[in-house]
C-alpha cells in the first residue's frame, strides 16, 4: 500500500478497514480489532466502490508547506466523478482517491495570504466529497461576501474550464461566433456568460425546450435543439455562410464532421469531452489543411500545478469583480445533502440538470 494512503472505515457489518487504490476503488486493508494501523485522525467522506456511494470515514489529510486545509461546506457533481467511480478516470498521481473536483469552505489551516476563517473556493485534483480537503494556496480563490458556499461550489471547475478553453486556448475575441455544445451543462452555462461578457456571439446546442430557454436567458444569441436534426446547416445559415470561429465540444466522434463543417476559415475546435465516443472510422484531413483549421484536445485535471495556479490567478483577476457585481453568476440546478450523492449522480446521468448539481456537506 502506498505511503500516505487514506484508510477508510465503512459503516458495514464486516467492520472492514479499506484504502483507496490508485484506480479509485476501495480495497480491503484489515479488520477492526485485528489489524492495527496506528492512530489516524478521521473525517466523514463519501466513499465509492464503482456505482455504490456511501458515507464513511477517511483519514484527515495532512498539509504540507504552501497548502491550506479547508473545512468543506459544499462541493459539486461533475461528469468526471461518474467516470472515476467506475474506474474510467483515475485521479492524478498523489491525489486523493475521494471523488470531488471542487470545494467551497472555510480555511482551518492557513498558508501565504490565507488565514484561518477565510471563505474560499478551489479547483481540486480530488477529495471534495469530504469534510476536509487540502489544496495548494496558489489554487485558492476568495468567495465574494454576498455569495453562499453552495453558490461558490458551483464556480471553480466549470468556469475555469470555460475560461481556459475559450480564451487561453481558443483565443476567442469580441465580435466572433462560438458554438457551445451542451449549452445547459455547467460548463455550457459558464461559457455562455463568459463569451457574452467578452463581446462574442454564442450559439448553443441542447436537447429540450427548457434547456434552450435557459441558454437564451443567459445570453445565447441562438439555441439549436440537436434532436431536431443536423446542426451544421443551421450554423451556416445563422452566420451567413461564414461559420463559427470556435467550437467547444463535449461530444466527440459523432459531431466531428459537423463541427469541422461549422468552422470558419482559421477556426478552432476545442475538444473537452468524448461523451458520444472517441473513434472515427475515417477522417478527411483536407479541410484542416486547406482551411487552416486547428483541433485542440484538452483536460484540466492533469495540468501541472504551475499551470493551474497561473490559470487560477488569471481567472480570479478577471472574474472576481464580475461575480461581485453580478455580471457573472453561478448557475445552480439543485442542491442536495451529500448523503444523497447517489441520487445526485443518477440525476446527472439522466441529463436532467440545467447548470450545476451541488452537494451540501453537513
Amino acid at each position: 500500500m502506498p505511503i500516505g494512503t487514506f484508510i477508510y472505515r465503512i459503516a458495514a457489518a464486516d467492520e472492514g478497514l479499506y484504502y483507496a487504490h490508485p484506480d479509485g476503488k476501495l480495497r480491503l486493508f484489515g479488520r477492526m480489532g485485528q489489524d492495527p494501523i496506528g492512530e489516524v485522525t478521521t473525517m466523514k467522506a463519501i466513499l465509492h466502490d464503482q456505482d455504490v456511494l456511501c458515507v464513511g470515514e477517511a483519514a484527515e489529510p495532512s498539509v504540507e508547506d504552501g497548502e491550506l486545509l479547508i473545512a468543506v461546506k459544499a462541493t459539486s457533481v461533475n461528469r468526471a466523478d461518474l467516470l472515476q467511480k467506475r474506474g474510467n478516470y483515475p485521479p492524478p498521481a498523489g491525489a486523493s482517491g475521494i471523488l470531488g473536483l471542487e470545494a467551497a469552505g472555510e480555511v482551518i489551516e492557513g498558508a501565504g495570504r490565507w488565514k484561518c476563517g477565510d471563505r474560499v473556493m478551489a479547483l481540486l485534483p480530488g477529495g471534495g466529497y469530504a469534510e476536509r480537503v487540502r489544496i495548494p494556496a496558489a489554487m485558492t480563490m476568495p468567495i465574494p461576501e454576498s455569495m453562499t458556499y453552495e453558490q461558490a461550489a458551483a464556480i471553480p471547475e466549470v468556469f475555469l474550464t470555460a475560461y481556459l478553453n475559450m480564451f487561453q486556448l481558443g483565443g476567442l475575441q469580441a465580435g466572433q461566433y462560438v458554438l457551445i455544445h451542451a449549452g445547459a451543462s455547467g460548463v455550457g452555462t459558464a461559457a455562455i456568460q463568459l463569451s457574452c461578457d467578452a463581446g462574442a456571439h454564442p450559439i448553443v446546442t441542447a436537447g429540450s425546450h427548457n434547456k434552450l430557454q435557459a441558454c437564451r436567458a443567459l445570453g445565447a444569441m441562438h439555441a439549436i435543439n440537436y434532436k431536431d436534426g443536423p446542426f451544421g446547416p443551421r450554423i451556416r445559415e445563422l452566420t451567413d455562410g461564414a461559420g463559427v470561429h470556435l467550437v467547444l465540444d463535449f461530444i466527440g466522434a459523432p459531431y466531428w464532421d459537423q463541427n469541422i463543417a461549422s468552422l470558419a476559415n482559421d477556426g478552432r475546435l476545442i475538444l473537452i469531452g468524448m461523451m458520444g465516443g472517441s473513434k472515427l472510422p475515417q477522417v478527411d484531413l483536407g479541410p484542416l489543411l486547406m482551411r487552416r483549421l486547428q483541433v485542440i484536445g484538452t483536460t484540466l485535471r492533469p495540468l501541472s500545478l504551475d499551470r493551474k495556479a497561473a490559470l487560477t490567478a488569471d481567472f480570479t483577476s478577471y472574474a472576481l469583480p464580475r461575480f461581485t457585481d453580478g455580471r457573472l453568476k453561478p448557475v445552480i440546478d439543485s442542491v442536495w445533502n451529500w448523503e444523497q450523492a447517489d441520487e445526485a449522480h443518477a440525476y446527472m446521468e439522466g441529463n436532467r440538470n440545467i447548470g450545476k448539481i451541488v452537494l451540501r456537506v453537513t
Side-chain angles (χ1 to χ4, degrees):
M1 184 177 64
I3 295 174
T5 298
F6 290 171
I7 305 299
Y8 306 103
R9 184 167 75 249
I10 299 178
D14 68 357
E15 289 295 312
L17 295 165
Y18 296 82
Y19 71 95
H21 190 270
D23 64 9
K25 298 179 182 178
L26 295 177
R27 303 292 176 83
L28 181 65
F29 176 69
R31 305 284 183 190
M32 291 292 291
Q34 297 179 12
D35 299 278
I37 60 172
E39 294 185 7
V40 178
T41 302
T42 61
M43 62 180 180
K44 290 182 181 180
I46 299 293
L47 311 179
H48 73 282
D49 187 1
Q50 295 192 15
D51 274 349
V52 179
L53 300 178
C54 58
V55 178
E57 292 186 8
E60 185 174 295
S62 57
V63 298
E64 300 178 358
D65 289 344
E67 292 184 332
L68 309 176
L69 186 63
I70 298 172
V72 179
K73 304 298 185 182
T75 184
S76 291
V77 178
N78 291 284
R79 288 200 175 270
D81 302 335
L82 309 183
L83 296 172
Q84 181 179 331
K85 73 179 181 180
R86 295 180 179 129
N88 296 323
Y89 193 34
S96 171
I98 298 172
L99 303 177
L101 299 182
E102 55 200 329
E106 181 179 309
V107 175
I108 53 178
E109 288 189 34
R113 71 186 183 96
W114 305 105
K115 62 184 185 300
C116 290
D118 285 344
R119 294 183 348 123
V120 297
M121 55 186 172
L123 179 72
L124 308 171
Y129 288 22
E131 289 183 313
R132 306 282 187 270
V133 70
R134 69 177 190 177
I135 187 68
M139 287 175 55
T140 308
M141 299 175 282
I143 299 175
E145 291 184 5
S146 62
M147 192 173 287
T148 66
Y149 286 118
E150 289 82 6
Q151 290 172 320
I155 290 174
E157 174 70 15
V158 295
F159 274 92
L160 285 168
T161 295
Y163 185 82
L164 168 68
N165 289 289
M166 289 199 304
F167 302 126
Q168 294 190 353
L169 298 179
L172 186 65
Q173 299 177 15
Q176 294 184 334
Y177 284 98
V178 54
L179 171 58
I180 302 166
H181 291 302
S185 66
V187 175
T189 55
I192 293 169
Q193 294 181 73
L194 288 170
S195 58
C196 287
D197 185 75
H201 308 309
I203 302 173
V204 305
T205 63
S208 74
H209 174 71
N210 287 343
K211 289 184 176 182
L212 296 174
Q213 276 193 319
C215 292
R216 292 189 186 100
L218 288 170
M221 178 172 287
H222 302 287
I224 302 169
N225 192 329
Y226 62 81
K227 295 179 181 179
D228 290 343
F231 61 83
R234 285 284 292 143
I235 296 299
R236 286 290 169 179
E237 176 187 342
L238 294 171
T239 60
D240 294 325
V244 299
H245 301 86
L246 182 69
V247 175
L248 190 62
D249 182 37
F250 306 76
I251 308 302
Y255 280 9
W256 173 266
D257 288 336
Q258 291 190 80
N259 282 337
I260 296 300
S262 297
L263 283 170
N265 291 343
D266 299 300
R268 295 179 180 181
L269 166 60
I270 309 291
L271 184 64
I272 62 173
M274 298 178 293
M275 291 172 57
S278 62
K279 304 293 185 182
L280 290 167
Q282 188 173 356
V283 178
D284 180 4
L285 298 178
L288 275 66
L289 181 68
M290 301 305 296
R291 295 171 49 212
R292 304 175 301 281
L293 305 180
Q294 298 180 48
V295 178
I296 301 172
T298 178
T299 56
L300 180 56
R301 191 179 194 184
L303 290 181
S304 69
L305 172 58
D306 287 345
R307 288 190 65 185
K308 284 193 273 195
L311 171 64
T312 299
D314 287 346
F315 176 76
T316 300
S317 176
Y318 170 82
L320 193 62
R322 290 165 168 80
F323 283 118
T324 300
D325 65 21
R327 282 176 287 172
L328 297 176
K329 63 180 181 180
V331 178
I332 297 177
D333 176 276
S334 52
V335 178
W336 309 64
N337 289 328
W338 70 330
E339 293 91 348
Q340 300 173 291
D342 256 331
E343 294 95 322
H345 278 211
Y347 184 77
M348 172 172 275
E349 290 193 285
N351 293 320
R352 296 162 61 188
N353 58 295
I354 297 175
K356 291 290 286 183
I357 299 169
V358 175
L359 300 179
R360 182 185 292 117
V361 178
T362 56

